[in-house]
Each structure stands twice: as structure tokens, then as C-alpha cells.
């Protein structure tokens, strides 16, 4: 389904993010995860794109398989880094031919082994240019692709000037984005402030809040590295610090994420996007803690 139709039908969206597995075994495991999450009735799911196109085929194949074998709509992530215009054109034409209707257009970061990669060879430097290009393509069914972009409630490290950063986000939206999905955050005040700053900048598209429960101490360290310095409130650090083992950390992390979701719903969030890490337990537990069996029940409340 086109993302515009999803937003028209769902006053609040609930979406789950997966990454493409590397092996057949992990792929089957992921489909067991997806089967376990399907009863929650997400509005859509999304599939990440490995840095520099390292998962180009796996992302494509996973999105196609989700759309073919389940009743879910899948959004395919796509990044600018390491792609020529011919490659981008080929990727989008293949998506369209496969019936993939929606893309999350991202700047991306160079792969770790190519830290000094020469970006002048890329067709697009910033996501804004990719959004414009994706919009210019016919897409599946000749309707054009649905397009999402990333937003950073705590700020993106590539732009320390928060006023300029908001200008960049506004340009990205004006280039044709249908919605913004945010980076994970642990303090809802960061999200509410971001949402208000977007409003002041004249950004009116839906803003989906990115939620990722902490499930282990090592996972927390990885989040801090990958999410470019996620801000962990002192209260959360203290609570995790008290935990005897990772099972206890997961209980604390899931409880924290549940509180975040309840508060976001109370503050009429337009959507919640769960970073699942290809596991179903934490997301299912959050729904259970919220007292519901599906997204439909969350929307109704
Ligand atoms: P951009 O919008 O291009 O912005 C990058 C930086 O450049 C920002 O600091 C911005 O302010 C600045 N900027 C933008 N335009 C201009 C301009 N005209 N002049 C000067 N500066 C400018 N990465 C992956 O590799 N694969 C994924 O699948 C993936 N999925 C993600 C999903 C979500 C929801 C989020 C939040 C992030 C995801 N990322 C993914 C990470 C993302 O690619 C990186 O964080 C990247 O550094 C920023 O991407 P962007 O789309 O915001 O880039």
C-alpha cells in the first residue's frame, strides 16, 4: 500500500523496523519474528539498507518477500553513499518493477572500511537530493513512490548548528517527503521539542517517534556508538546500573520504552516506529504492558 494511503487510513501509525539477515538461517529466523509480530497489526514495516549499498540485493529481496508472503506493507530504506546516478536509477526501476511502493530516502554514512570514501563520486550528497530524485521516478503503478526521511530529535552530529539543521530538514520535506521518522531517543522531551521546532519551521508532515528498548548493557553501548550519541537520561543509567544481569536490564529497558510509548500516545504522537533488531519479544512485551493485543486497540484508545 502507498504510504500516503496508510497515513490517510491510520490516525496513528505503528511500524516495525528490520535489517536484512546475512544467512538463509537468519532469514528464516526473521520470518518467524515477523510471524510473531504480525498479530500486532503494524501499519507498515521497514527494511534497512547496509552502509554504502552493502545489502542492496538483500534489502530488495527481503522487502519483496515480506510483501509477497505476508499482508504487510514494507518500506525500503535507500542511502546516497557510494551510488552513481545509473545505480540509483536501476535500483528504483527494480523496486518499481517488483511493486515496491515506498522508500525511506537517507543520506547514509560511508561504510567503516571506506571512512575516507570520496563523496564527489556519488550522484547525491544529501538526502534532500535523493528525495527529489525518488519523487521524479514513476514508481510502482505509475503513482510515484511514497517517500520518508530521517529526523534527529537530539540533533545530527553532521550539523552542530540546530537552526541550520532545521532548514535542511525543511528542504528535505519540501523536496517531497511524505513523513519524517526519527532516530531513537530516550527522553520524550527531546521529541516534543523537536516536533514543536518542526511546527515552527512550517513542517507539517507526520513525524514518527523512533523507539528502541534497551535489552542488554552491551546493546546500550552499541546504541551510543551507532545512533551517534543517544542521550541516556541519568535516571535510566542509574536503573540499568542497578541490574544484576541482562534479563533485568531488558525488564528495565522494556518498562522505560513502555512509559515512553504511553506518554507519546497521551501527547497525540502521529506514529511510533519500533527498532526491533529482528526480535519480537521486546515489542510484543511493550504492547502487553500497554494492555493491548494489537495496534488497532492502541489507535482506538
Ligand atoms: P541528510 O539529510 O543528508 O543529512 C546529513 C547531514 O547533513 C545532517 O547533519 C544535515 O543537517 C546535513 N545537511 C543536509 N543537507 C545539507 C546541505 N544542503 N548542506 C549542508 N549540510 C546539509 N543509515 C543507513 O546506512 N541505512 C539505513 O537503512 C538507515 N536507516 C535509518 C533510519 C532512520 C529512521 C534514521 C533516523 C537513520 C537511518 N540511517 C540509516 C542513518 C542515516 O543514514 C545517518 O544518520 C546519516 O548520517 C544521516 O542521514 P540523513 O538521511 O539524515 O542525511
Amino acid at each position: 500500500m502507498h504510504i500516503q494511503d496508510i497515513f490517510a487510513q491510520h490516525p496513528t501509525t505503528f511500524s516495525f523496523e528490520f535489517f536484512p539477515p546475512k544467512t538463509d538461517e537468519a532469514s528464516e529466523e526473521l520470518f518467524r519474528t515477523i510471524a510473531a509480530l504480525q498479530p500486532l497489526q503494524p501499519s507498515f514495516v521497514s527494511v534497512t539498507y547496509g552502509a554504502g549499498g552493502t545489502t542492496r540485493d538483500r534489502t530488495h529481496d527481503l522487502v519483496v518477500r515480506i510483501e509477497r508472503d505476508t499482508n504487510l506493507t514494507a518500506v525500503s530504506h535507500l542511502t546516497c553513499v557510494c551510488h552513481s546516478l545509473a545505480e540509483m536509477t536501476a535500483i528504483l526501476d527494480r523496486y518499481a518493477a517488483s511493486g515496491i511502493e515506498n522508500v525511506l530516502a537517507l543520506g547514509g554514512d560511508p561504510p567503516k572500511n571506506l571512512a575516507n570514501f570520496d563523496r564527489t563520486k556519488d550522484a547525491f550528497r544529501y538526502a534532500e537530493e535523493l528525495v527529489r530524485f525518488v519523487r521524479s521516478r514513476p514508481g510502482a503503478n505509475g503513482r510515484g513512490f511514497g517517500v520518508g526521511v530521517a529526523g534527529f530529535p537530539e540533533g545530527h552530529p553532521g550539523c552542530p548548528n540546530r537552526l541550520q539543521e532545521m532548514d535542511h530538514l525543511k528542504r528535505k520535506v519540501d523536496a517531497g517527503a511524505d513523513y519524517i521518522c526519527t532516530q531513537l531517543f530516550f527522553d520524550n522531551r527531546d521529541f516534543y521539542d523537536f516536533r514543536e521546532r518542526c511546527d515552527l519551521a512550517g513542517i507539517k508532515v507526520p513525524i514518527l517517534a523512533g523507539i528502541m528498548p534497551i535489552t542488554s548493557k552491551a546493546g546500550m553501548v552499541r546504541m551510543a556508538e551507532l545512533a551517534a550519541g543517544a542521550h541516556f537520561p541519568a535516571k535510566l543509567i542509574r536503573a540499568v546500573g542497578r541490574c544484576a544481569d541482562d534479563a533485568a536490564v531488558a525488564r528495565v529497558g522494556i518498562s522505560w520504552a513502555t512509559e515512553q510509548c504511553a506518554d507519546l500516545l497521551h501527547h497525540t504522537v502521529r506514529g511510533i516506529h519500533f527498532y526491533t533488531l529482528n526480535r519480537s519479544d521486546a515489542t510484543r512485551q511493550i504492547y502487553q504492558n500497554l494492555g493491548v493485543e494489537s495496534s488497532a486497540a492502541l489507535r482506538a484508545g
Side-chain angles (χ1 to χ4, degrees):
M1 194 187 286
H2 199 283
I3 202 76
Q4 290 168 358
D5 295 337
I6 292 176
F7 283 119
Q9 285 177 24
H10 296 187
T12 315
T13 61
F14 299 91
S15 46
F16 303 156
E17 182 170 306
F18 307 115
F19 61 85
K22 288 197 175 115
T23 63
D24 289 348
E25 200 185 2
S27 185
E28 292 320 307
E29 179 64 35
L30 172 60
F31 273 86
R32 281 193 287 278
T33 294
I34 293 174
L37 288 170
Q38 246 184 302
L40 301 182
Q41 301 173 1
S43 310
F44 66 91
V45 301
S46 79
V47 177
T48 63
Y49 195 74
T54 44
T55 67
R56 185 183 316 189
D57 289 336
R58 282 188 282 127
T59 297
H60 171 273
D61 295 348
L62 178 56
V63 170
V64 169
R65 186 170 166 199
I66 290 173
E67 296 239 348
R68 189 193 62 205
D69 294 352
T70 73
N71 60 3
L72 300 170
T73 293
V75 172
S76 197
H77 294 202
L78 182 59
T79 62
C80 299
V81 181
C82 304
H83 285 337
S84 66
L85 189 62
E87 285 169 328
M88 279 298 184
T89 308
I91 290 168
L92 289 170
D93 287 354
R94 190 172 171 216
Y95 281 175
S98 305
I100 299 170
E101 292 183 276
N102 306 295
V103 170
L104 185 74
L106 299 146
D109 301 309
K112 284 207 174 87
N113 59 341
L114 292 176
N116 296 320
F117 180 75
D118 179 6
R119 294 284 324 259
T120 57
K121 291 183 187 141
D122 293 340
F124 309 116
R125 176 73 181 83
Y126 297 110
E128 174 196 343
E129 300 153 66
L130 179 58
V131 171
R132 201 164 284 117
F133 182 67
V134 173
R135 269 276 181 247
S136 74
R137 306 300 302 168
N141 315 319
R143 179 177 175 182
F145 290 100
V147 187
V149 292
F152 295 81
E154 296 175 17
H156 185 270
C159 185
N161 181 331
R162 298 285 161 249
L163 293 177
Q164 252 175 27
E165 185 186 34
M166 195 47 77
D167 290 344
H168 297 150
L169 182 60
K170 172 85 163 76
R171 286 169 53 157
K172 206 155 64 165
V173 171
D174 289 348
D178 294 300
Y179 69 99
I180 297 169
C181 183
T182 79
Q183 182 59 285
L184 57 93
F185 58 89
F186 295 95
D187 187 337
N188 285 4
R189 285 174 302 184
D190 290 325
F191 177 79
Y192 299 138
D193 185 66
F194 172 73
R195 194 169 64 166
E196 210 173 324
R197 286 186 287 121
C198 285
D199 190 48
L200 290 170
I203 294 173
K204 303 297 177 194
V205 295
I207 302 174
L208 316 186
I211 292 291
M212 182 156 149
I214 295 167
T215 52
S216 69
K217 285 191 183 173
M220 193 170 168
V221 172
R222 269 198 306 278
M223 270 184 218
E225 285 163 4
L226 291 176
H231 159 221
F232 300 107
K235 187 177 163 189
L236 178 58
I237 295 174
R238 193 169 280 131
V240 168
R242 279 194 290 263
C243 294
D245 54 26
D246 274 344
V249 173
R251 282 195 296 278
V252 165
I254 290 166
S255 155
W256 187 276
T258 303
E259 287 305 314
Q260 279 191 278
C261 291
D263 187 64
L264 287 164
L265 291 167
H266 179 62
H267 286 89
T268 55
V269 70
R270 187 62 175 82
I272 300 181
H273 184 76
F274 293 92
Y275 293 95
T276 70
L277 292 180
N278 290 7
R279 305 282 308 270
S280 68
D281 341 4
T283 311
R284 284 191 300 133
Q285 188 65 55
I286 292 169
Y287 274 66
Q288 210 173 321
N289 292 351
L290 289 168
V292 297
E293 288 179 359
S294 74
S295 304
L298 284 178
R299 267 179 228 116

